[in-house]
Amino acid sequence: MINKILIYLIIILIVGCNPDAYQLANRISVDPINGDLLHPSSPFIKAHMKDGKVYVLNSWEMINKYDGFGNVNYLIGEGTLLSVNREILEQEQFEIPLDSVVILETNELTNSGPATALTLVTGLSLIGSTLCAQNPKACFGSCPTFYVNDGQNNIIQAEGFSSSISPSLEATDIDMLYNASNSDEIFQVEMKNEAYETHVISYLDLLIFPKSNDERIFYEIDGTFWNTNEIIGPSSCSINNNDCLDKIIEMDDLEWFSVTDSFNLAKKEIIEIEFNNIENGDYGLILGARQSLLSTFIFYQALSYMGKNVGEWLAMTERGEIPHGEIFNILGGIEILIKNERGKWEKWNEMKEMGPIATDIHMIKLPHLINESKSIKLRLAKGNWRINYIALASLNEKLEPIVLKPSSIYYDSKYDEEAMNLLLDNKQKLVTLPGDVYTINYEIPSNELKYEYFLKSRGYYLEWIRDSWIEEENLTSLIKMNFTPKKTLKDLAPIYKEIEADMENIFWNSKYEK
């Protein structure tokens, strides 16, 4: 595997030094103020294939035709076919089945139906975005954001499939809508694309549970739903002898967070939590948290190291040819520590839900040892998490949700039949672009009952590559990030420390809106 990657790197270096190498030209510029997309007069598209070859087309279109077995989407155009070693194999008119492509890469944005779901936009210049220019690695980036009414306003209550950064990493995500309030026959979710990204959604279902006034339902990280009539708040919360109880006792606007270590971004810290009034029985730890922007910074830094070859790297990831994600495994999630029978603290479980936008609430079922110790510890990387809520819930029984499909979808206040059909068809996908906003409605069985609400989404997203990132191309650093991630987390510590204080402000004030 390593030899294969090294050979590939040599190819990149040779091509990168060749002035006649095939590269994308006429990079797209996007003005966040008016949302205009400037289309170059001579667009190019690269089709990265499953076998490692690449088509570079300078004139192309998408067609759909019958091949004897069914309808197939084809990319048709004139250009050049390059070998795995990036040697010219053919120069002619090509007809490429879209299902043999792993990633499309272009320097302009065009909504080309099924091709859009595979299209990586490179060379993006952010004109007029002062905050992003100040710190490009703090620009707002997300998977789809979901806004739901809390009884007063539509607020962000969930974000979908945050770690699914390419087609092969498509995943299902279940998010509790903790503050959702609804008394109508229609439950409404507003889905937004607020970043320079392509979002690809397979489905968006609403899961509901009828409940009593004093009952709540929580989602366990193993996929189980439990109901409870008793929630116990901590009696104490401390870290390094500093009290943190007021930050985590309620699900509100207060969050506990710390700053990263100056020399090692993987440096851990421990939060100590104690509970009173615990009787014998089954309990689950309720944990409401979101990531800081540390993981966002590292992800954007990796894309920067890839530079103009980001399409090649992403295609290799799709083909399973390179490792990925180990650096985030080292950063880790929030580990739950419990005292064992010998009184020694040991890891019981870990919450790894990624995403810096919405507080995600999960429940982790605890062993009966909690009945005796009445305490837990949380171990996490310094500055990597923002914790909003910690509590214990007595567990009653496992439940199965009522699954609701969308009953109607609106785009720009108009009913969107195409989007509706795409979300209801398991073989199709809804693709959204920056600034898109969809209002999705669900018919509730009875508005006389109270419900607990969860969103179940499946999909992936493709990050658009900024010009400022490409300028930082560094293949040596990229190799180190993949193969010596612990050292990389030490090397990046002082760089992140310089921008850490301003990350949240820049992030939240750089959302994309049409």
Side-chain angles (χ1 to χ4, degrees):
M1 177 69 74
I2 294 177
N3 288 338
K4 186 174 185 179
I5 295 173
L6 291 177
I7 291 171
Y8 176 75
L9 287 172
I10 293 171
I11 293 168
I12 288 181
L13 290 171
I14 292 172
V15 173
C17 296
N18 182 358
D20 297 321
Y22 291 88
Q23 297 183 11
L24 298 179
N26 299 322
R27 291 176 176 171
I28 186 172
S29 296
V30 174
D31 186 343
I33 296 176
N34 57 33
D36 290 337
L37 298 176
L38 307 179
H39 297 271
S41 58
S42 300
F44 280 71
I45 192 167
K46 287 184 181 180
H48 297 270
M49 310 304 290
K50 291 180 179 178
D51 62 4
K53 297 186 181 73
V54 175
Y55 290 88
V56 183
L57 309 180
N58 52 22
S59 175
W60 58 277
E61 64 176 332
M62 287 294 306
I63 67 166
N64 182 279
K65 69 178 184 178
Y66 187 74
D67 68 350
F69 298 95
N71 288 331
V72 177
N73 294 307
Y74 287 90
L75 175 66
I76 293 180
E78 294 182 0
T80 302
L81 172 61
L82 303 177
S83 71
V84 175
N85 297 325
R86 299 305 177 254
E87 300 165 336
I88 296 176
L89 297 179
E90 299 177 56
Q91 290 180 311
E92 56 178 88
Q93 177 87 7
F94 297 103
E95 188 172 290
I96 308 164
L98 197 60
D99 59 9
S100 63
V101 177
V102 292
I103 284 292
L104 292 170
E105 182 183 356
T106 185
N107 59 326
E108 73 157 8
L109 176 64
T110 57
N111 195 333
S112 304
T116 311
L118 295 174
T119 301
L120 175 73
V121 179
T122 61
L124 185 72
S125 297
L126 302 183
I127 301 172
S129 180
T130 305
L131 287 173
C132 284
Q134 176 184 334
N135 185 354
K137 296 188 183 71
C139 289
F140 191 87
S142 74
C143 37
T145 46
F146 301 111
Y147 289 72
V148 176
N149 195 280
D150 67 349
Q152 295 181 323
N153 302 295
N154 264 19
I155 62 171
I156 293 180
Q157 295 209 34
E159 55 183 305
F161 43 84
S162 304
S163 57
S164 302
I165 59 172
S166 68
S168 65
L169 298 177
E170 181 178 7
T172 301
D173 193 15
I174 295 179
D175 295 288
M176 182 181 187
L177 305 178
Y178 185 88
N179 291 310
S181 177
N182 185 68
S183 58
D184 299 328
E185 295 178 353
I186 297 296
F187 187 92
Q188 196 168 87
V189 175
E190 195 172 57
M191 180 178 72
K192 296 184 179 183
N193 184 335
E194 302 181 274
Y196 293 101
E197 298 168 352
T198 301
H199 296 169
V200 184
I201 301 99
S202 294
Y203 60 76
L204 183 64
D205 295 342
L206 184 68
L207 311 182
I208 66 172
F209 298 84
K211 68 184 186 73
S212 61
N213 288 333
D214 65 344
E215 185 181 13
R216 299 230 61 167
I217 291 90
F218 292 97
Y219 174 67
E220 191 177 357
I221 57 177
D222 70 352
T224 307
F225 294 91
W226 292 84
N227 69 331
T228 180
N229 296 94
E230 181 186 23
I231 295 177
I232 303 170
S235 57
S236 69
C237 172
S238 64
I239 178 167
N240 298 324
N241 295 319
N242 294 316
D243 184 77
C244 52
L245 187 62
D246 62 324
K247 301 293 193 303
I248 55 89
I249 195 67
E250 297 285 349
M251 183 68 176
D252 51 24
D253 293 333
L254 296 178
E255 295 176 315
W256 171 88
F257 63 93
S258 64
V259 295
T260 57
D261 184 77
S262 299
F263 305 100
N264 184 2
L265 294 177
K267 183 71 176 292
K268 305 289 184 178
E269 60 187 348
I270 290 180
I271 304 174
E272 300 181 52
I273 312 289
E274 293 187 355
F275 297 90
N276 292 330
N277 304 318
I278 299 178
E279 301 178 356
N280 290 333
D282 292 326
Y283 288 92
L285 175 69
I286 303 170
L287 187 56
R290 64 184 177 98
Q291 286 188 307
S292 72
L293 294 170
L294 174 57
S295 292
T296 300
F297 164 79
I298 292 173
F299 173 50
Y300 287 169
Q301 188 63 61
L303 294 176
S304 298
Y305 287 157
M306 294 176 193
K308 62 180 178 296
N309 297 297
V310 64
E312 299 278 2
W313 283 101
L314 191 56
M316 289 181 72
T317 300
E318 286 296 290
R319 294 191 293 263
E321 296 173 357
I322 58 172
H324 65 278
E326 181 58 26
I327 195 167
F328 297 107
N329 291 334
I330 293 172
L331 272 181
I334 301 177
E335 298 176 88
I336 295 92
L337 309 181
I338 299 288
K339 274 186 182 179
N340 61 23
E341 294 88 345
R342 300 182 301 277
K344 182 179 179 180
W345 290 97
E346 63 182 12
K347 178 181 174 180
W348 170 253
N349 211 325
E350 185 174 3
M351 199 280 284
K352 294 183 177 180
E353 185 77 17
M354 297 187 73
I357 297 174
T359 296
D360 208 340
I361 297 184
H362 281 293
M363 193 272 292
I364 301 94
K365 192 173 185 296
L366 299 175
H368 286 171
L369 292 167
I370 189 67
N371 297 325
E372 299 178 6
S373 68
K374 296 180 172 53
S375 60
I376 63 168
K377 290 184 178 182
L378 303 178
R379 183 167 59 201
L380 60 165
K382 296 184 66 176
N384 192 33
W385 294 91
R386 303 175 76 95
I387 299 178
N388 185 285
Y389 185 45
I390 299 174
L392 284 185
S394 61
L395 304 182
N396 295 336
E397 59 181 340
K398 298 179 181 180
L399 301 176
E400 291 295 329
I402 299 171
V403 181
L404 302 180
K405 296 288 185 181
S407 58
S408 61
I409 300 177
Y410 290 81
Y411 182 81
D412 284 343
S413 301
K414 297 178 182 178
Y415 178 70
D416 193 327
E417 183 176 2
E418 181 182 5
M420 182 72 176
N421 292 335
L422 290 172
L423 280 187
L424 294 180
D425 186 344
N426 292 333
K427 297 181 180 179
Q428 302 292 327
K429 298 180 186 297
L430 173 63
V431 179
T432 74
L433 300 174
D436 284 347
V437 179
Y438 287 86
T439 300
I440 305 171
N441 297 322
Y442 302 84
E443 292 184 2
I444 303 301
S446 171
N447 64 344
E448 296 180 358
L449 298 176
K450 289 185 176 294
Y451 296 95
E452 197 78 77
Y453 299 97
F454 294 79
L455 267 184
K456 184 177 182 180
S457 59
R458 181 171 179 82
Y460 64 90
Y461 65 99
L462 293 170
E463 192 79 40
W464 292 11
I465 309 305
R466 282 73 150 168
D467 263 340
S468 57
W469 294 352
I470 292 174
E471 294 170 0
E472 292 186 48
E473 180 177 351
N474 190 320
L475 297 180
T476 301
S477 294
L478 183 62
I479 294 172
K480 290 179 179 178
M481 180 177 279
N482 273 282
F483 294 104
T484 57
K486 291 182 179 179
K487 185 178 186 307
T488 296
L489 289 171
K490 293 178 180 179
D491 293 340
L492 290 177
I495 299 173
Y496 183 72
K497 205 65 182 173
E498 290 183 4
I499 60 176
E500 182 176 18
D502 297 324
M503 289 285 285
E504 281 276 328
N505 178 58
I506 295 173
F507 183 82
W508 287 106
N509 286 285
S510 59
K511 291 191 290 186
Y512 182 94
E513 295 182 2
K514 284 185 178 178

